[in-house]
Amino acid sequence: MKRGGWGSVLLDRFHHPTQVVATGFGAVILLGSVLLALPMATTTGESAGLVTAMFTATSAVCVTGLVVVDTATHWSLFGEVVIAGLIQVGGLGIMTLATLFTVLLSGRLGLRAKIALQTETKSLSISDVRRVVRNVVLFALAGEAITTVILTARFMIGYGEPFGEALYLGAFHAISAFNNAGFALWPDNLMGFVNDAWICLPIATAVVVGGLGFPVVFELARSWRTPRRWSVLTRVTVGVSIILIAVGTLVFLATEWHNPRTMGPLDDGGKVMASFFAAVMPRSGGFNTVDIAALNPSSMLVMDVLMFIGGGSASTAGGIKVTTFGLLAFIIWAELRGENRVNVGHRRLPEATQRQAVTITLVSVGLVAVSTYALLVLTPYSLDRVLFEAISAFSTNGLSTGVTVETSPAGHILLLMLMFVGRIGPLTLGSALALKERTRRYELPEERVIVG
């Protein structure tokens, strides 16, 4: 079908992606809130209340992981299943919409994005859309299934859990990990497994794979032996992700090695694994094997930066995305060298993409700053803890120093709104900016302005 057919329908329908995504996510959150507000959703048989139910539903759909009540003890089996279902719907929805927007933009802007359909034209047929959705779903379910098998076996062999309980624990945490949600069924999250590589490493791997994004994983599966053929998206995502995880691991090793409240009591191998786990989770994973509130201020600052950056584009991760951060680094490098073009490898970066990266970053910084100020007014906590919580909510990360649980209902509502905006914001803003790109048929006189 040519551009005038299904492609035009898609362009018309997704002309305002913010409305489409916000409406869809809002509807799922509303349904989840109703289900979690039912008395049967709690262990006590009493309704959790509107704010608690809505906060938990928002956190699950936005795959964040921040909680106002303990997931393991407050919610019944029905409530936990609802949370897992909301995580799955939210994660698949995010990946599918993000990937479809990428496909749509590849046709709208003339970019031959190397994603699932590998289209060689500027058209977008209904079969392409179906293929993209199918491949995204299969990719997610396969990743969750592999993680479930490993975790189930470990819970059975290592902890003596019966098969049914082990399978439930494995499936719940596999869904939570692959979708970068961070929900756990223990009061201390995963702190009880800090030395267990068979629990920590599969969960960390699922977080990384889910946080790379479907287009990148698909391209890696096809051409992992020939890096020179990788697209700019894959090169930047993989390269920046490796650098951030490596730097994060080294920083946490250096700053937390002797901290008696975090990694100090662990042996050398345990410290390395805990540092690696702590470096992976700010991608948007949200799990923790050490007490976040006990981290040194320097470690907390590093986590702030890593959470704000987040994971890959078209993935379940949040933040401004490693692609945006990587492109900003290339833009700065080109400017420092006095070059009037920004090149990534053997490709030139369009000026529109540069503006989009700067816009998303500055809007995100402003949103975090305003939210941090509001939380400082509403809560009695220090700036470092409040800033950490605001970034965690915006980046849909879920790591917490305890502010979320201890704050007032007004603070809960603010964090709830921040999670929602942080989840749909970068995706819809980036898509909206790209879809609105148009060529101006005239140029105004140039005037130099002093900068700096």
Side-chain angles (χ1 to χ4, degrees):
M1 196 169 186
K2 298 301 181 183
R3 178 63 175 272
W6 181 252
S8 297
V9 174
L10 278 178
L11 290 177
D12 292 339
R13 179 168 297 182
F14 289 115
H15 186 67
H16 299 290
T18 303
Q19 299 175 3
V20 177
V21 179
T23 302
F25 275 74
V28 177
I29 289 172
L30 181 61
L31 175 61
S33 301
V34 172
L35 293 176
L36 291 177
L38 297 174
M40 63 184 299
T42 66
T43 55
T44 61
E46 299 179 356
S47 176
L50 179 61
V51 174
T52 299
M54 184 169 290
F55 188 98
T56 305
T58 303
S59 183
V61 173
C62 297
V63 291
T64 303
L66 286 177
V67 295
V68 294
V69 293
D70 179 40
T71 305
T73 58
H74 184 84
W75 302 108
S76 64
L77 177 62
F78 173 79
E80 292 172 359
V81 171
V82 170
I83 291 172
L86 293 175
I87 293 172
Q88 187 72 282
V89 171
L92 286 177
I94 291 163
M95 292 189 67
T96 302
L97 286 172
T99 305
L100 284 176
F101 280 144
T102 305
V103 177
L104 177 60
L105 296 179
S106 70
R108 179 64 176 263
L109 303 177
L111 301 176
R112 297 181 179 181
K114 293 184 178 180
I115 54 178
L117 63 159
Q118 291 293 299
T119 179
E120 291 299 326
T121 68
K122 295 182 181 180
S123 63
L124 184 62
S125 68
I126 190 170
S127 62
D128 294 328
V129 176
R130 288 174 176 171
R131 192 180 307 121
V132 170
V133 174
R134 180 195 65 194
N135 289 342
V136 169
V137 172
L138 290 177
F139 163 62
L141 294 181
E144 293 170 359
I146 294 172
T147 308
T148 298
V149 170
I150 298 174
L151 293 179
T152 299
R154 182 55 181 168
F155 287 129
M156 290 178 61
I157 297 173
Y159 299 92
E161 297 285 355
F163 174 73
E165 181 67 15
L167 179 61
Y168 175 69
L169 290 173
F172 184 95
H173 292 92
I175 293 173
S176 184
F178 188 86
N179 290 287
N180 282 221
F183 281 88
L185 296 180
W186 293 277
D188 60 355
N189 205 273
L190 299 181
M191 290 175 61
F193 304 99
V194 63
N195 282 311
D196 193 335
W198 287 100
I199 298 294
C200 293
L201 295 184
I203 287 178
T205 301
V207 168
V208 171
V209 174
L212 284 176
F214 174 71
V216 172
V217 172
F218 183 85
E219 185 171 0
L220 290 176
R222 290 189 50 154
S223 56
W224 63 274
R225 294 182 179 180
T226 54
R228 282 185 286 184
R229 297 178 57 187
W230 292 356
S231 64
V232 172
L233 172 65
T234 299
R235 290 185 181 186
V236 173
T237 301
V238 173
V240 175
S241 296
I242 292 174
I243 292 173
L244 293 178
I245 292 175
V247 171
T249 302
L250 294 176
V251 168
F252 292 131
L253 275 174
T255 57
E256 298 297 322
W257 185 274
H258 297 293
N259 188 341
R261 298 185 299 167
T262 56
M263 302 179 190
L266 304 176
D267 58 27
D268 291 352
K271 291 177 180 178
V272 172
M273 185 167 64
S275 297
F276 171 75
F277 195 86
V280 168
M281 289 308 126
R283 291 179 58 82
S284 198
F287 293 100
N288 63 283
T289 56
V290 297
D291 185 2
I292 299 299
L295 290 173
N296 289 318
S298 55
S299 300
M300 200 172 293
L301 178 60
V302 172
M303 274 200 168
D304 286 341
V305 175
L306 294 178
M307 287 192 301
F308 185 76
I309 296 172
S313 300
S315 75
T316 56
I320 64 171
K321 302 297 189 295
V322 295
T323 313
T324 304
F325 178 76
L327 294 183
L328 287 176
F330 280 105
I331 293 171
I332 293 172
W333 179 244
E335 189 64 29
L336 292 176
R337 294 176 55 134
E339 298 177 352
N340 58 2
R341 295 288 185 271
V342 179
N343 300 319
V344 182
H346 298 290
R347 294 291 185 270
R348 179 172 59 85
L349 192 64
E351 292 183 2
T353 304
Q354 300 175 41
R355 294 195 300 269
Q356 292 159 20
V358 173
T359 301
I360 289 174
T361 303
L362 292 180
V363 169
S364 300
V365 169
L367 184 60
V368 169
V370 172
S371 302
T372 301
Y373 174 81
L375 284 174
L376 284 173
V377 173
L378 293 172
T379 66
Y381 304 108
S382 60
L383 174 60
D384 57 343
R385 293 184 63 184
V386 169
L387 177 63
F388 188 97
E389 217 76 8
I391 294 177
S392 181
F394 165 77
S395 63
T396 66
N397 185 282
L399 292 172
S400 176
T401 62
V403 171
T404 298
V405 175
E406 300 168 1
T407 193
S408 64
H412 293 161
I413 294 174
L414 175 61
L415 290 171
L416 181 155
M417 296 172 60
L418 189 57
M419 286 189 293
F420 185 77
V421 174
R423 177 70 277 171
I424 68 172
L427 167 63
T428 55
L429 178 59
S431 301
L433 289 173
L435 287 173
K436 288 182 178 179
E437 183 185 355
R438 54 183 179 268
T439 302
R440 177 173 291 181
R441 300 183 181 278
Y442 61 91
E443 292 290 342
L444 297 174
E446 184 180 277
E447 180 178 346
R448 292 285 184 177
V449 179
I450 298 176
V451 177

